[in-house]
C-alpha cells in the first residue's frame, strides 16, 4: 500500500491550510486596527440662521 504517499498528501494539506489560516488571520487583524484607529473629528456644522436668531433671543432674555 501507498502509506507514504497518503502521509505526504496529508502533510501538504495541513501546511497549505495553516498558511491560508495565518493569511486570513493577519488580514482580519489589519482590518480591526484600521477600524480602531482614531478618526479625525468632524468639524461642527455652522448653525443655521434660525438657530443664530434663537440663541440671540435666548441671550437677550437671560440678561433681563
Amino acid at each position: 500500500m501507498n502509506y507514504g504517499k497518503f502521509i505526504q498528501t496529508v502533510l501538504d494539506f495541513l501546511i497549505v491550510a495553516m498558511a491560508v489560516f495565518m493569511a486570513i488571520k493577519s488580514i482580519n487583524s489589519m482590518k480591526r486596527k484600521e477600524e480602531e484607529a482614531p478618526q479625525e473629528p468632524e468639524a461642527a456644522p455652522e448653525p443655521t440662521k434660525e438657530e443664530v436668531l434663537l440663541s440671540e433671543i435666548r441671550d437677550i432674555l437671560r440678561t433681563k
Side-chain angles (χ1 to χ4, degrees), residues 1-45:
M1 298 221 167
N2 294 326
Y3 293 114
K5 197 172 190 179
F6 174 75
I7 292 172
Q8 183 63 42
T9 303
V10 170
L11 288 175
D12 289 343
F13 172 78
L14 292 175
I15 291 170
V16 171
M18 182 60 99
V20 170
F21 173 77
M22 295 303 283
I24 291 173
K25 187 175 178 180
S26 66
I27 289 171
N28 284 340
S29 69
M30 280 190 248
K31 284 184 180 180
R32 270 193 223 111
K33 286 180 184 176
E34 202 173 271
E35 291 172 357
E36 292 175 359
Q39 307 220 348
E40 295 180 20
E42 296 181 14

Side-chain angles (χ1 to χ4, degrees), residues 57-64:
I57 292 170
R58 180 196 63 208
D59 294 340
I60 292 170
L61 289 174
R62 277 190 185 166
T63 59
K64 289 185 178 182

